[in-house]
Amino acid sequence: MFCARRIKTLLQDRSLATIVSRMIIYTDAHCHLNPQSENPTIDCRIYSSVRPADWKNAIIISENDDDKNFAAIGIHPWYLADVDTNFESQMIEILTEHPNMMVGEIGLDKFHPDIPHQLEIFVAQLKIAAKLRRPIHLHCVGAWDKILHIFKHYEHTLPPVIVAHNFNGSPDLIQQIAERYNVYFSYSVPHDNSQDITRISTTPPDRILVETDTFDLNDEIDKLDAAISAIALINQSDIDEMSEKIYQNIQRVISYVRSIE
Ligand SMILES: [Zn+2]
């Protein structure tokens, strides 16, 4: 039986974290780091935009073409005030010019206003991603019922991959979502509670990603260390093996933008 207290103990054991960190493959499936800063070197990172003002950063990353740093453009449900009437044609133009670019972060958030407008903007971006065959990075808070309704409606015309960033839906949903859709579940450091632990232990290991969601380049590695260590512990796996598995998972997500001619 897994004991939540063990996560805390492991994360507090700095000497152990130092030893294992040499073997960890670092991947960050969702962050907002400024590409013009000297960001830590890690093995794979995906930058997500929240509004059109970020898209120039996404373009800089995509044009860098180092095969480690990838980017997504999109409009987050908190930033609908930034929506331009012709945002769809702008997105299509940028995505077409940058075949290695994804769509995100997009989604629904029940704690923010105007759900009908959120739905309209989300579905518009979902359709663009599906048409151009790009993975999406999904922000969903308290709206999995609506998201699953939309997925069912567009079942045959969904984007090739859905990355559920900071997945915080019910653990009961995970199996059902994973069997039906090509969804990857991305986690930051889990809280020391049964809900977070159950989510991770219920997620198929070949669908787990780790993320920081950070804007702060100084804390990226520490946050990744803590997240991978906790996920490995919950899965009763070696930390280096877990980081390798997560690396293979993010490579599968990226393969959809690598394979576009
Ligand atoms: Zn984010």
Side-chain angles (χ1 to χ4, degrees), residues 30-32 48-50 76 105 139 165 211 213-215:
H30 184 99
C31 71
H32 301 278
S48 256
S49 306
V50 294
H76 188 292
E105 59 182 290
H139 171 104
H165 134 66
E211 64 169 67
D213 203 12
T214 192
F215 290 79

Side-chain angles (χ1 to χ4, degrees), residues 104-125:
E105 59 182 290
I106 64 175
L108 300 174
D109 193 321
K110 87 165 182 183
F111 297 109
H112 281 257
D114 206 347
I115 294 290
H117 193 203
Q118 289 189 34
L119 276 165
E120 182 197 329
I121 301 301
F122 170 62
V123 170
Q125 297 180 94

Side-chain angles (χ1 to χ4, degrees), residues 150-170:
I150 292 166
F151 284 0
K152 195 168 180 194
H153 186 79
Y154 292 100
E155 186 144 13
H156 302 294
T157 51
L158 282 174
V161 185
I162 293 136
V163 174
H165 134 66
N166 194 20
F167 179 75
N168 56 13
S170 161

Side-chain angles (χ1 to χ4, degrees), residues 7-148:
I7 291 184
K8 224 175 191 169
T9 312
L10 180 78
L11 298 183
Q12 283 166 349
D13 187 342
R14 292 182 178 278
S15 59
L16 179 58
T18 306
I19 293 164
V20 297
S21 66
R22 282 189 300 233
M23 299 178 285
I24 292 182
I25 302 173
Y26 290 104
T27 58
D28 192 347
H30 184 99
C31 71
H32 301 278
L33 291 175
N34 183 344
Q36 296 181 70
S37 304
E38 279 289 314
N39 297 317
T41 302
I42 64 168
D43 298 284
C44 189
R45 174 190 285 123
I46 303 174
Y47 169 92
S48 256
S49 306
V50 294
R51 52 186 161 187
D54 295 340
W55 295 358
K56 60 180 185 309
N57 281 341
I59 291 170
I60 291 169
I61 293 165
S62 296
E63 291 181 348
N64 182 25
D65 211 14
D66 62 1
D67 212 36
K68 286 188 175 179
N69 288 281
F70 292 81
I73 57 168
I75 299 167
H76 188 292
W78 298 357
Y79 295 92
L80 300 188
D82 294 28
V83 173
D84 197 297
T85 45
N86 61 355
F87 81 93
E88 289 161 274
S89 57
Q90 287 172 14
M91 274 187 82
I92 291 168
E93 192 180 324
I94 294 170
L95 290 165
T96 306
E97 276 176 21
H98 299 88
N100 59 348
M101 202 178 254
M102 308 180 210
V103 171
E105 59 182 290
I106 64 175
L108 300 174
D109 193 321
K110 87 165 182 183
F111 297 109
H112 281 257
D114 206 347
I115 294 290
H117 193 203
Q118 289 189 34
L119 276 165
E120 182 197 329
I121 301 301
F122 170 62
V123 170
Q125 297 180 94
L126 187 77
K127 286 181 177 174
I128 291 171
K131 189 166 180 225
L132 298 178
R133 307 304 297 152
R134 307 301 168 89
I136 64 164
H137 296 264
L138 179 69
H139 171 104
C140 176
V141 175
W144 272 100
D145 54 339
K146 290 189 173 59
I147 292 284
L148 291 176

Side-chain angles (χ1 to χ4, degrees), residues 168-171 193-200:
N168 56 13
S170 161
N193 63 43
S194 62
Q195 181 93 341
D196 273 17
I197 291 164
T198 307
R199 270 192 205 101
I200 289 168

